[in-house]
Amino acid sequence: MNGRTHLSAAILVVITISACVPVEPTDEDTADQSGELELALALDPNRPNVLQVSWRTEEESLSALSASWDGSPVLWQGTLQPGVEHRFEILGLPTSTEILIDAWSDGEELSYQGSAVTVLPALPVSVPVPRVLADLPDARDPTPYAFLTLVKQDQTVLEVVDRAGRVCWFHEVGQDALAWGSVPDPSSATVVALLQHFSSEDQPSTVERYGLRDGATLSVTEVTRAHHDLEPLPGGRVAYLVEDARPWYSEERSDWIVVIGDAIEIVELDGSVSTLMSTWDWRDPQDLPLPMNDGYGPGIDWTHANALRYRPETDSLLVSLRDLHVLIEVDVNTGAVLDEYGETERGYVTADDSLPLSEQHDASFTRDGTLLMVSTPRNDDGQPGRQTLAVEYALDEETRELVEVWSFGEGLGLFSDTRGGARRLPEGNTLIWWNDPGRQVWEVQPNGQVAWKLEPPVGWSLQGAVPFPGF
């Protein structure tokens, strides 16, 4: 169950530079002043393509220092205090490329200038490098990175990529392991992942946590019957989905059958596992007489939970039940169902002129309180169509209706047979992804204009794509 995070050898270059470009003094007392600026470059030993730049001066305060590389804009600007080290990081540098850093400061009395050079290592050949298909620079969202879960047969790689498709961080989870779900946890600078291992007959699952800064595997908790998704909770706990199969007497079949519902379990801080709730506590299959799918796990698929998202405003989890075309909101502390959305008689239903929830994935609340997800509308015969859309709903509290306020994908022929998702970026754009056969990640503006497209290499499938909040 061991994985690998890229650990490149650190390269450190320290250069002491004397003032070499004097600025016209304002009076005779400052004409002869000069100073030294110490500039250092270092590759982050735990994150490929991340360069750390730092500098310090023992002289009096300088008004500003700037640095740039490869013709990029200014990366840092601010006040330097004597004896204090200042640093910044450059993410997403190209691989196997010589990087030249120029740093200078023009103060009222002193001027410093200098440069340093380092060479970045190449990525291992086992790490897939995505390809950018389109980029609209003037439409860029301030969150320029995406966190990807990529799968190829028995190989899974977790990656952070920038807008150029360059890999800034990656973790190989090892052979014979599938990542059901993985997501960055910005509160602890870690990544949590739900893995299923095929190296043994019982195919155990694990909830694992990796450090983003040192690449270490921080914790591994073995769990049972886990599937599809997990979600970090405040304080370090992790919630995940599990199958809950129980015998049930079907009056329609006049026989006892095994029906598979879902439950939410939580990995506690001490590594123990607790059960928050089960769909069997919420409803009975008799309450929802929908067609049930045979052939899922050891019985008949009933609810098919496929996504789990934390909502801080209500301290709750939003659970997507695909086969019921319903979302339920669950209290994190009690397990009680707070509300329902979709094809339900107990909560919010879709308005008549809005797209209904249909085999939805990756449902979440935006900061504006709307619901965002991807959905595959059904044909007239009730079967799923071949078009997957991103859809956003406002909640009409008076009528208890979901009112469609935005959608994307109509008429484009984009379809995701399994998985897919949509997440709102901080400045209003939406990151949308489709799995097979589409296998693409798009950033879309509110007006529907496509700002960015990315696809994995041939042979690799997308298991997930979410905005990356930064290191």
Side-chain angles (χ1 to χ4, degrees):
M1 300 180 186
N2 294 327
R4 180 177 71 157
T5 301
H6 184 71
L7 303 174
S8 60
I11 302 173
L12 180 63
V13 182
V14 179
I15 304 175
T16 301
I17 307 162
S18 297
C20 59
V21 184
V23 175
E24 189 69 28
T26 55
D27 56 58
E28 294 182 359
D29 295 334
T30 62
D32 296 327
Q33 289 193 27
S34 63
E36 294 183 342
L37 175 69
E38 191 174 84
L39 174 68
L41 302 182
L43 287 177
D44 190 314
N46 307 305
R47 291 176 289 164
N49 303 12
V50 177
L51 188 67
Q52 296 176 331
V53 183
S54 62
W55 57 88
R56 65 185 299 148
T57 176
E58 298 301 329
E59 306 298 325
E60 60 187 88
S61 296
L62 305 178
S63 61
L65 183 142
S66 303
S68 64
W69 71 276
D70 195 25
S72 71
V74 170
L75 295 170
W76 185 92
Q77 188 168 355
T79 301
L80 276 172
Q81 301 297 328
V84 178
E85 183 181 55
H86 298 262
R87 65 174 58 234
F88 65 81
E89 295 179 340
I90 308 172
L91 278 68
L93 296 170
T95 58
S96 301
T97 302
E98 184 178 78
I99 302 298
L100 173 67
I101 295 291
D102 291 304
W104 65 92
S105 177
D106 295 322
E108 294 180 358
E109 301 169 347
L110 302 174
S111 180
Y112 300 81
Q113 184 172 327
S115 64
V117 177
T118 190
V119 177
L120 301 173
L123 291 172
V125 295
S126 58
V127 175
V129 179
R131 183 166 68 101
V132 173
L133 304 177
D135 192 4
L136 190 63
D138 61 353
R140 290 182 175 181
D141 193 282
T143 305
Y145 305 103
F147 181 85
L148 308 177
T149 304
L150 299 170
V151 174
K152 182 180 181 180
Q153 297 177 346
D154 60 351
Q155 187 178 2
T156 299
V157 179
L158 315 179
E159 293 183 350
V160 177
V161 300
D162 70 357
R163 297 189 67 95
R166 296 176 294 213
V167 179
C168 306
W169 178 93
F170 71 87
H171 182 87
E172 296 178 275
V173 302
Q175 295 292 320
D176 300 319
L178 168 71
W180 274 109
S182 60
V183 62
D185 183 0
S187 66
S188 59
T190 62
V191 167
V192 291
L194 176 61
L195 308 180
Q196 185 172 1
H197 304 269
F198 301 103
S199 55
S200 59
E201 186 175 347
D202 57 350
Q203 299 185 0
S205 299
T206 55
V207 174
E208 304 191 4
R209 187 183 290 270
Y210 316 119
L212 276 169
R213 297 196 177 275
D214 59 12
T217 299
L218 304 177
S219 64
V220 177
T221 303
E222 189 163 325
V223 296
T224 58
R225 310 181 316 281
H227 68 92
H228 272 87
D229 208 2
L230 80 170
E231 180 79 347
L233 300 175
R237 301 190 301 162
V238 181
Y240 62 95
L241 296 169
V242 299
E243 296 176 8
D244 190 355
R246 302 187 187 186
W248 182 70
Y249 186 80
S250 170
E251 296 182 357
E252 180 181 352
R253 304 189 184 199
S254 300
D255 196 6
W256 284 93
I257 58 175
V258 175
V259 173
I260 303 174
D262 289 284
I264 303 173
E265 292 186 349
I266 295 178
V267 177
E268 305 290 349
L269 295 179
D270 61 1
S272 62
V273 173
S274 63
T275 300
L276 178 63
M277 65 85 68
S278 171
T279 54
W280 290 91
D281 304 327
W282 162 66
R283 291 286 190 97
D284 186 284
Q286 191 69 44
D287 295 335
L288 298 163
L290 298 174
M292 293 182 291
N293 300 321
D294 291 291
Y296 182 80
I300 295 176
D301 191 11
W302 170 36
T303 50
H304 197 107
N306 61 15
L308 193 63
R309 297 289 169 264
Y310 178 70
R311 187 185 187 190
E313 292 81 3
T314 54
D315 198 20
S316 61
L317 285 163
L318 186 66
V319 187
S320 170
L321 304 178
R322 190 201 72 172
D323 284 5
L324 302 182
H325 318 294
V326 169
L327 310 172
I328 58 174
E329 189 174 358
V330 178
D331 188 292
V332 166
N333 301 296
T334 65
V337 175
L338 303 177
D339 220 330
E340 303 176 14
Y341 312 88
E343 292 191 4
T344 174
E345 297 177 355
R346 302 183 182 181
Y348 286 82
V349 298
T350 50
D352 291 339
D353 56 350
S354 299
L355 281 171
L357 271 67
S358 178
E359 302 204 359
Q360 71 284 341
H361 285 77
D362 198 31
S364 63
F365 280 98
T366 69
R367 292 180 179 179
D368 296 327
T370 59
L371 275 171
L372 180 66
M373 68 199 74
V374 293
S375 183
T376 302
R378 283 161 280 178
N379 297 325
D380 294 339
D381 60 3
Q383 297 301 311
R386 301 289 293 181
Q387 180 174 247
T388 301
L389 312 177
V391 188
E392 182 179 8
Y393 301 94
L395 278 63
D396 189 323
E397 296 183 357
E398 186 173 329
T399 63
R400 299 280 287 176
E401 288 183 324
L402 300 177
V403 180
E404 180 186 340
V405 293
W406 183 83
S407 66
F408 178 82
E410 181 70 35
L412 297 179
L414 296 165
F415 173 66
S416 198
D417 188 40
T418 59
R419 296 186 171 263
R423 299 290 182 96
R424 185 58 41 81
L425 295 170
E427 295 302 310
N429 290 357
T430 304
L431 196 72
I432 310 169
W433 67 279
W434 295 264
N435 195 22
D436 293 328
R439 300 189 324 112
Q440 289 189 9
V441 184
W442 292 21
E443 181 183 337
V444 179
Q445 295 177 288
N447 63 5
Q449 185 175 15
V450 178
W452 184 69
K453 291 183 185 181
L454 175 142
E455 70 174 4
V458 175
W460 289 84
S461 295
L462 280 166
Q463 283 286 103
V466 297
F468 186 71
F471 285 107

